[in-house]
Amino acid sequence: AGRFADAERSLREALTAGWNPAAALRLADAVAKGGRPADALPLLQAAVERGGPDPNYLLALGGVYRGVGRPADARAAWERAAALADGSISNIPLWRALAGVAEQSGDRDAARRYLARAVAAAASRHLAAGQYDQAAQAAKAAAESAPESARPWFLLGEALR
């Protein structure tokens, strides 16, 4: 807990000097990891309100909502993030979080679609790294999971070229 307390103290000092949504995000992370997720909520809410609806802020906000037993609010924050997010690999945690909360609420179709987006993003990561066999496997899995989605099919074609 000592390193989280040190991080919290330093980040609070930085925020006193001037508002910065990225610093608020890091502070909220330190507070939540220090065992006080409820105290992280106002910091993340302020980051979203003052810094704009950034997918990273909304992903963190959803995680804290889930951590304090508010799964509906978690899903709402993550769905807002999804509306802003692209298919990049940095959004894999978002798609997985949404798949999990959709599965828990019994929405299997949404869970399947979100998981397919995570797998497609992983395929994209493999393509970028020149790992064509892994990209093809991931893209094929995503295409089979969500055949109505064009992105996995595109990625599969690129991997097999």
Side-chain angles (χ1 to χ4, degrees):
R3 101 183 144 154
F4 293 120
D6 291 343
E8 180 179 348
R9 190 171 25 263
S10 296
L11 289 164
R12 285 196 188 279
E13 288 172 10
L15 285 173
T16 299
W19 175 255
N20 179 314
L25 177 65
R26 287 191 291 279
L27 174 58
D29 184 55
V31 168
K33 287 180 178 171
R36 301 185 347 261
D39 292 344
L41 274 177
L43 294 164
L44 291 167
Q45 290 165 332
V48 170
E49 290 169 15
R50 295 174 75 179
D54 180 281
N56 294 315
Y57 304 158
L58 290 163
L59 176 62
L61 180 61
V64 171
Y65 276 137
R66 182 182 58 195
V68 297
R70 294 172 57 181
D73 290 329
R75 186 172 183 175
W78 290 332
E79 285 177 345
R80 274 184 76 194
L84 300 168
D86 58 20
S88 74
I89 61 171
S90 65
N91 292 312
I92 292 173
L94 171 62
W95 307 130
R96 288 191 176 162
L98 275 165
V101 77
E103 182 73 30
Q104 288 174 345
S105 71
D107 190 349
R108 294 191 190 281
D109 281 343
R112 177 186 53 78
R113 285 190 310 273
Y114 289 131
L115 191 54
R117 289 187 82 169
V119 174
S124 185
R125 178 182 62 216
H126 290 305
L127 268 177
Q131 300 166 333
Y132 301 109
D133 289 341
Q134 295 95 325
Q137 289 173 351
K140 183 178 180 195
E144 289 172 350
S145 180
E148 71 281 359
S149 177
R151 180 142 178 84
W153 293 107
F154 169 78
L155 293 168
L156 181 59
E158 288 296 302
L160 296 175
R161 276 195 315 148

